[in-house]
Amino acid sequence: MSPPLRSGLRRRPRTALLAVGALTTALLISAPQSAQAGPPNLISNPGFETAGTGAMPACWSQSGWGDNDYTFETVADAHSGTKAMKVELTRRVDGDRKALITENTVCAPTVVPDRQYDLSLWYKSTTPDVSVTLFRRDTDAGWQYWTDLKTLEISADYAQAEVRTPAVPPKTDRIAWGVSVYGTGSVTTDDYAMEEVSVPVPDPECTGTAQECEDGRWEVLPVQNPVRSMHSVVMHNGKVLLIAGSGNDPSLFEAGSFTSAVYDPADGSYRVIPTPADMFCAGHVQLQDGRVLIMSGNKGYPSADGTIGYQGLKDSYLFDPETETYIRTNDMNDGHWYPSATILGNGDVISFGGLKEDSTGSVTAERFSAAENRWLPLWQVNQTWSYWGLYPSMILMQDGRLFYSGSHVFGNGTPGTGAAIYDYEANTVTEVPGLQSKDERDQSASVLLPPAQDQRVLTLGGGNIDTNPAANRLTDIIDLKQPDPSYVHGPPIPQGTVDMGDGPRPQTGAEGKMYVSAVLLPDGTVLETGGALHNRANPVYEASIFDPVTETFDPVTPDPEARGYHSSSFLLPDGRVMSVGDNPGNGSWNHNVSVYTPPYLLKGPRPQITSVIDGEWTYGDTQRITVDRPVVKAELIRPAAVTHSSDPNQRFVDLPMTVDGNNIDLNVTSNPNLAPPGWYMLFAVDANGVPSVAEWVHLSGPAAMAAEAPSAHVHEFAQEAQAAPEQPQRKRASAPVDPQVAGCDRHYGSAGVCVPTVFPKKVAPTTKARCSWLAEHDYGRLKVNGKDDPLKLDPNRDGVACGKGDLRRR
């Protein structure tokens, strides 16, 4: 057995620990061996025939990490020639071992950004826990993990594995790769090959106006949304569930009138659905079988005097897309008005935060068991007794931990840095630094950038409805592959126009937006759209497309409709984006629906997926599709379940390809934390970024053809945070929360009217100026609730704010 070898990804796992040493001139000019066929093989010593100066063959190194026992051995059991490489794990707790191309300028193949390469090797394997793994050299940052490409099936005899890389990222000049073993057993490999491929680029054909082809176009649909929907869920039958509950309308709440609607994009129709409870500001997530789990909602609106706030329900329901009906589940342990909802790799759902039945903050973590189809009792769920706030954005990481991005709803962020990693198994919270202005990220958006394998999160915009500053343009990006991850500043959100009550004018200074929507697009970019400058006021008309590769924004045509509070935007299976809602402070609702056609749909004919051999997919599987013409990538996109700028389950999962003409084999990740079980939209994309219409596939279960369910290929990312993990707090019933947490000054009007606690700077601090601003924004007659008049809107003290008597007083 080899001595312990520590080369995990947190300590440059890419670099060989057993150096090759000086290579001879003969090696430098030696021709590739038997793997060469057709184009030149870019691998040096592809069959391990040339000995190195150490224990490994020339240009090959031992690599890996974790607690395991292993051997590396050059054996005579070759596919061709006289030698092959055998890597074996006899005991494993965690980690992997891999024979890797040595990361230096002599051995690592040179690559060109934006090009793709076909990789192949011959192998035997006694374990299903084997993956082709790539690393790349960034010209600025050096060697780093790139991606896993393909899971290899068990094979007693030599079998060939082939797979194509994604497009090489910018600033990459070399790559290294090998086979990672992450379960007990052995893999023997031989005859590696790497060849550059050329994919035809169709001539773009503009099918709109020049501006539309550059910036896309919006269409306001002729039929309005019949309900005040603030929750949008794209279901696996292509229809959209729009949940309103009482729709933030106290009169509907008092009448017990709770609604939802199902929208069918195929014919533009709506079907209003009777809704059993007030699901206004509930949480929701799609389960493995496609049903929608809806948790909590509104038990009661705030009292007029401001002494009690919103109250959360314990109720929970399942929505069945087939019958379009709600089915009651067991209750949660707490009420959770504004809860998070994150699906885990085993299909369970975990939820945090929100307001309890008494309008205090819930510190109870809740877990819905997929196996038992119920919420677990409190004693079966790990508890830190932490208050995570309202709609905290909790994103599942590749190792099963949760990243709290700092995006939330209402007021300040969590104490400390405002972002953290939560480890459910260890039950610890570790703060993550770098988030800018963490107390002004109220109703910002956070999204796991494409592809999910990259483990990078983008956070955009935000404000603070307590202090009501102008919303910001801030963006922050974190790479969770780093050993000690930290947010770094991203480019500012582009500016558009803002309506301050007297018509749109260009944004100036640092003006940005809150209520941001961020939507993953099938070409691998992100559309950010909608927003407002202040709390439920001053809509911002701006949209742009963020490119994760270049980390730049490209401004595009904005939605012509206001999309602020209680709006949402989401991807449709045909590649367009739909936007609904807007609920300004006067309590009104925007029932108009907008649909955005991105520029990629105006570049001519779309590729077509002409067949999907099997719509039931399993982890680590290879699935064949056919297309009508060449494509450069394919991916799974998890359908939206979005509200209040938040959809932590939205993700884009790359599917590495093996290409044989129009037949394409797609390689599915073996890690369910990267792609939690459920229904996904499958897109194929050509070299111009034009996507197909999506096909629906269902992902679940162990790897096909495997002798046993495989463990996930987990990398040791984000393991060396400088902050010490925080242990659970003392058990407590709740966290204190201001009853006015919803950001409205409840001294005036009704629960559906939100008088801002702080007026825009241009509004003078006088009764006349404030009342004029309120009148311009259609606030109507405002009752003074109680005796206090903090904004001085009722100087004559007749109980009516901004009455005629108030405006006559000097």
Side-chain angles (χ1 to χ4, degrees), residues 342-381:
T342 304
I343 189 168
L344 304 177
N346 69 347
D348 286 5
V349 173
I350 195 163
S351 179
F352 302 90
L355 299 184
K356 294 181 60 171
E357 292 178 296
D358 61 0
S359 79
T360 59
S362 176
V363 296
T364 302
E366 307 266 8
R367 186 160 184 155
F368 185 87
S369 168
E372 301 178 35
N373 200 39
R374 69 185 182 104
W375 292 100
L376 297 176
L378 192 64
W379 61 272
Q380 290 186 9
V381 184

Side-chain angles (χ1 to χ4, degrees), residues 170-239:
K171 299 190 299 184
T172 302
D173 62 356
R174 295 180 183 275
I175 67 171
W177 57 284
V179 172
S180 171
V181 184
Y182 54 96
T184 55
S186 67
V187 62
T188 303
T189 60
D190 197 7
D191 291 339
Y192 285 66
M194 174 176 165
E195 300 169 354
E196 183 177 325
V197 296
S198 176
V199 179
V201 180
D203 291 329
E205 176 187 341
C206 178
T207 59
T209 67
Q211 183 174 356
E212 288 173 341
C213 292
E214 184 72 21
D215 297 330
R217 64 169 175 249
W218 288 89
E219 175 188 5
V220 179
L221 300 185
V223 179
Q224 292 191 321
N225 180 1
V227 301
R228 296 165 62 100
S229 61
M230 55 201 66
H231 307 274
S232 303
V233 183
V234 179
M235 300 180 290
H236 69 273
N237 56 13
K239 298 180 180 180

Side-chain angles (χ1 to χ4, degrees), residues 32-99:
Q33 297 155 23
S34 58
Q36 181 174 349
N41 183 5
L42 302 177
I43 304 294
S44 295
N45 199 18
F48 307 104
E49 300 294 326
T50 304
T53 58
M56 293 289 287
C59 280
W60 291 90
S61 304
Q62 296 182 22
S63 186
W65 68 278
D67 182 1
N68 47 67
D69 296 334
Y70 59 90
T71 57
F72 288 81
E73 184 181 5
T74 303
V75 296
D77 182 16
H79 171 256
S80 70
T82 61
K83 296 178 181 178
M85 172 56 60
K86 182 178 181 181
V87 180
E88 183 171 16
L89 267 62
T90 55
R91 179 192 65 86
R92 178 186 181 273
V93 176
D94 59 16
D96 69 3
R97 299 294 152 178
K98 46 192 171 284

Side-chain angles (χ1 to χ4, degrees), residues 17 130 153 213 233 263 306 404 426 433 488 519 556 571 722 740-741:
L17 297 186
V130 179
E153 300 175 354
C213 292
V233 183
Y263 170 70
Y404 168 55
V488 296
V519 182
V556 296
L571 180 69
Q722 292 184 356
Q740 298 183 38
V741 66

Side-chain angles (χ1 to χ4, degrees), residues 269-283:
S269 65
Y270 293 87
R271 178 173 180 259
V272 177
I273 305 293
T275 304
D278 190 5
M279 297 176 182
F280 158 51
C281 295

